[in-house]
């Protein structure tokens, strides 16, 4: 999937009209049928199967909030199969509207900006639930998993459930990540995909629980490990490209500690600094071809990288300085390439400069609990997104394999700053 882009000067983009906030539109039944029909082909190819738990508690016309884990592009097709003919609106990233706003709105999509405070989002969801009598589908992780495990959930999700006061349904997929992992450049594998749909919380249960208790329930529901699932269920991935670009996720060599020198090619991952080579087996394990296998399990390797980033932050050694191509989004007409610049990240947050000195944007470390970073974003390249309600800045690093480390640094830095703030005011976690 591609996105509409154009070249514009930075000053010109600043003068473009901003998008007006619009209420969600009622979904025409023909759109629901069309989405369902267009989903059938791929779902048949992956032998899609599903199981239902407790869904008899939900009335046929009763609006609900549907929470779903986010694994790959097949997620929406799975949701359409499980929920049809129930009408549902979809909370999705605002850049998904670029060049196709009419289609997205008529398909029931509600735009929002990832990992940013959006005061209008809850109002839009309430309008869809109460006025349009439609359910709302949300991917609360807000981003695809890099390593096959859950990404952080927003702290305000529990409060959101209290405001909405509707039943909560959970859709959990199996095999979707293995079928089409983000790092692999949209190259799909021959893997069967299934899903469970469960009645998770009633309005009465939500009323009795505190926001913190609801968050704990949701964290447990969103606890998963797709590589572990593959291993335990003996799901075979025989495609020879299964480790292609795995260096996007596993960017640091555990043998020599060098960063940015890993290279995923075919079924192997090699460090170009020390020469150590690993194979991603058909059943999802990492295996050193010579010597010790430090991390047979990819999420353990990724977790070790997180610990390394945290140590750099604690010791005040963390710093990211990379040249970038800069694109901007101020409305849904187009994403504009405005020039080149430099992206810096430290314990003080992000600092983006560019466009011959005319662009100077800062974003503090307490701004967000995670980072909108992506691989092969709309087939342009690996991307890190910053911004506010005025504009979004999509940064495409000239240096490889920084998207994952930047996301880890943002998450760890946010936790450190939050803990320090709580300590200062005499609170505990």
């Amino acid at each position: 999937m591609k996105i509409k882009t154009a070249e514009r000067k930075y000053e010109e983009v600043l003068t473009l009209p901003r998008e007006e906030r619009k209420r969600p539109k009622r979904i025409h039944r023909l759109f629901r049928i069309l989405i369902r029909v267009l989903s059938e082909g791929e779902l048949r190819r992956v032998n899609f199967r599903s199981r239902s738990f407790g869904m008899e508690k939900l009335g046929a016309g009763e609006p609900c909030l549907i929470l779903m884990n986010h694994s790959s592009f097949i997620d929406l097709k799975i949701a359409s199969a499980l929920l049809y003919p129930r009408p549902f609106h979809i909370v999705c990233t605002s850049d998904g509207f670029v060049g196709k706003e009419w289609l997205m709105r008529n398909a029931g999509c509600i735009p929002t900006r990832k990992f940013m405070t959006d005061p209008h989002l809850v109002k839009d969801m309430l309008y869809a639930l109460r006025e349009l009598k439609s359910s709302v589908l949300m991917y609360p992780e807000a981003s695809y998993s890099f390593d096959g495990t859950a990404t952080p959930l927003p702290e305000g999700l529990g409060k959101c459930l209290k405001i909405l006061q509707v039943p909560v349904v959970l859709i959990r997929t199996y095999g979707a990540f293995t079928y089409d992992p983000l790092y692999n450049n949209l190259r799909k594998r021959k893997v069967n995909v299934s899903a469970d749909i469960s009645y998770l919380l009633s309005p009465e249960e939500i009323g009795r629980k505190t926001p913190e208790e609801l968050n704990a329930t949701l964290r447990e529901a969103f606890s998963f490990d797709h590589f572990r699932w593959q291993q335990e269920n003996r799901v075979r991935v025989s495609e020879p490209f299964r480790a292609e670009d795995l260096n996007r996720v596993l960017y640091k060599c555990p043998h020599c500690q060098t960063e940015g020198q890993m290279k995923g090619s075919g079924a192997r991952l090699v460090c170009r600094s020390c020469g150590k080579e690993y194979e991603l087996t058909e059943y999802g394990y990492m295996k050193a071809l010579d010597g010790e296998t430090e991390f047979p399990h990819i999420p353990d390797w990724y977790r070790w990288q997180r610990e390394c980033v945290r140590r750099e932050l604690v010791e005040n050694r963390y710093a990211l300085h990379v040249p970038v191509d800069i694109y901007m989004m101020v409305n849904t007409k187009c994403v504009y390439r405005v020039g080149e610049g430099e992206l810096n990240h430290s314990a003080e947050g992000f600092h983006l400069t560019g466009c011959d000195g005319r662009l100077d944007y800062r974003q503090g470390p307490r701004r967000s609990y995670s980072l909108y970073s992506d691989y092969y974003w709309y087939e342009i390249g690996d991307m890190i997104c910053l911004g506010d309600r005025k504009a979004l800045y999509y940064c495409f690093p000239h240096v490889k394999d920084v998207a994952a480390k930047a996301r880890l640094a943002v998450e760890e830095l946010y936790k450190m700053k939050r803990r320090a703030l709580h300590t200062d005011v005499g609170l505990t976690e």
Side-chain angles (χ1 to χ4, degrees):
M1 184 187 299
K2 295 187 177 182
I3 195 168
K4 186 178 179 182
T5 63
E7 297 267 348
R8 283 283 187 95
K9 292 182 179 180
Y10 173 65
E11 294 86 350
E12 290 181 55
V13 177
L14 290 179
T15 64
L16 295 175
R18 269 45 177 180
E19 207 71 40
E20 292 183 11
R21 194 75 186 197
K22 301 174 184 176
R23 283 182 168 179
K25 293 189 66 172
R26 189 179 301 278
I27 312 165
H28 196 284
R29 189 167 182 269
L30 288 176
F31 271 89
R32 302 206 303 270
I33 295 172
L34 180 62
I35 293 171
R36 180 71 184 94
V37 170
L38 293 176
S39 302
E40 272 296 314
E42 187 168 13
L43 294 179
R44 278 199 301 268
R45 286 196 296 274
V46 298
N47 298 310
F48 179 70
R49 298 290 183 271
S50 65
R51 299 183 300 176
S52 178
F53 300 93
M55 290 300 292
E56 68 280 356
K57 301 174 188 176
L58 185 68
E62 184 179 12
C64 64
L65 175 66
I66 305 130
L67 301 180
M68 185 175 183
N69 66 306
H70 212 8
S71 300
S72 71
F73 285 118
I74 200 174
D75 291 343
L76 179 57
K77 296 177 180 179
I78 291 171
S80 70
L82 293 177
L83 298 172
Y84 185 82
R86 179 182 297 275
F88 64 95
H89 285 71
I90 310 154
V91 177
C92 69
T93 178
S94 56
D95 51 51
F97 280 61
V98 171
K100 49 184 182 293
E101 182 186 2
W102 181 88
L103 175 64
M104 296 293 281
R105 289 200 180 277
N106 281 280
C109 295
I110 301 173
T112 190
R113 297 187 173 189
K114 291 187 178 186
F115 306 116
M116 296 181 191
T117 301
D118 186 347
H120 298 286
L121 178 58
V122 174
K123 292 180 182 178
D124 288 344
M125 293 169 69
L126 280 169
Y127 182 80
L129 291 162
R130 295 179 182 177
E131 302 299 324
L132 303 182
K133 307 301 180 185
S134 170
S135 295
V136 174
L137 170 65
M138 172 187 275
Y139 302 101
E141 296 169 287
S143 194
Y144 293 122
S145 170
F146 282 177
D147 69 331
T149 64
T151 55
L153 299 179
E155 296 172 355
L157 195 53
K159 291 180 181 178
C160 180
L161 300 192
K162 303 284 281 187
I163 294 170
L164 299 181
Q165 297 179 356
V166 294
V168 177
V169 168
L170 175 70
I171 297 178
R172 183 164 176 167
T173 63
Y174 303 91
F177 176 88
T178 312
Y179 166 67
D180 186 15
L182 186 63
Y183 73 81
N184 217 186
N185 272 1
L186 310 180
R187 301 178 74 181
K188 297 171 182 177
R189 294 93 168 272
K190 294 178 182 178
V191 174
N192 291 342
V193 177
S194 62
D196 293 340
I197 182 168
S198 310
Y199 190 94
L200 184 64
L201 289 164
S202 69
E204 294 74 25
E205 289 173 311
I206 293 170
R208 290 194 298 267
K209 291 177 180 287
T210 65
E212 291 74 21
E213 289 171 332
L214 291 170
N215 283 337
T217 298
L218 295 173
R219 281 195 298 270
E220 183 178 355
F222 279 83
S223 175
F224 52 82
D225 183 332
H226 293 303
F227 280 104
R228 187 75 69 199
W229 171 86
Q230 180 190 351
Q231 295 156 7
E232 292 176 349
N233 290 276
R234 300 290 291 169
V235 175
R236 182 170 177 250
V237 176
S238 59
E239 281 77 7
F241 56 78
R242 58 184 176 271
E244 203 83 49
D245 294 307
L246 185 57
N247 46 278
R248 285 170 158 152
V249 181
L250 306 180
Y251 60 84
K252 184 167 185 170
C253 177
H255 181 68
C256 71
Q257 312 285 304
T258 303
E259 293 183 9
Q261 292 299 313
M262 304 302 292
K263 175 63 178 176
S265 179
R268 295 184 177 182
L269 184 68
V270 61
C271 175
R272 290 172 294 188
S273 178
C274 69
K276 187 154 185 179
E277 196 168 358
Y278 303 83
E279 179 187 1
L280 175 57
T281 72
E282 293 183 339
Y283 294 100
Y285 293 98
M286 295 302 295
K287 178 183 177 183
L289 298 187
D290 184 32
E292 176 192 4
T293 302
E294 295 89 350
F295 299 106
H297 191 49
I298 285 176
D300 289 341
W301 190 327
Y302 192 73
R303 194 175 300 113
W304 168 74
Q305 291 177 160
R306 179 185 293 276
E307 292 167 357
C308 292
V309 171
R310 180 173 178 78
R311 194 176 308 119
E312 288 181 32
L313 287 165
V314 169
E315 296 172 359
N316 201 29
R317 293 185 293 108
Y318 172 79
L320 174 69
H321 308 287
V322 291
V324 293
D325 288 328
I326 304 170
Y327 288 67
M328 283 181 67
M329 175 181 161
V330 296
N331 55 42
T332 60
K333 305 298 181 187
C334 195
V335 174
Y336 301 98
R337 187 184 184 279
V338 294
E340 296 184 350
E342 183 172 90
L343 179 63
N344 295 285
H345 190 215
S346 68
E348 303 305 313
F350 283 105
H351 185 198
L352 174 64
T353 56
C355 304
D356 298 322
R358 298 186 298 276
L359 169 59
D360 192 314
Y361 175 79
R362 294 180 184 271
Q363 186 166 300
R366 287 202 294 265
R367 174 71 172 276
S368 180
Y369 64 93
S370 190
L371 176 68
Y372 183 13
S373 57
D374 212 338
Y375 304 141
Y376 201 42
W377 187 79
Y378 289 104
E379 302 182 36
I380 298 175
D382 292 1
M383 180 276 299
I384 294 171
C385 181
L386 313 173
D388 52 27
R389 287 195 293 273
K390 296 178 181 178
L392 294 178
Y393 304 96
Y394 298 91
C395 305
F396 295 86
H398 296 179
V399 178
K400 287 188 174 183
D401 304 337
V402 298
K405 185 174 183 180
R407 180 189 282 188
L408 290 174
V410 167
E411 292 172 358
E412 291 307 303
L413 189 56
Y414 179 84
K415 288 187 285 188
M416 291 169 62
K417 295 291 185 180
R418 183 173 179 272
R419 189 173 295 113
L421 178 64
H422 280 217
T423 302
D424 290 343
V425 298
L427 299 175
T428 56
E429 291 286 332

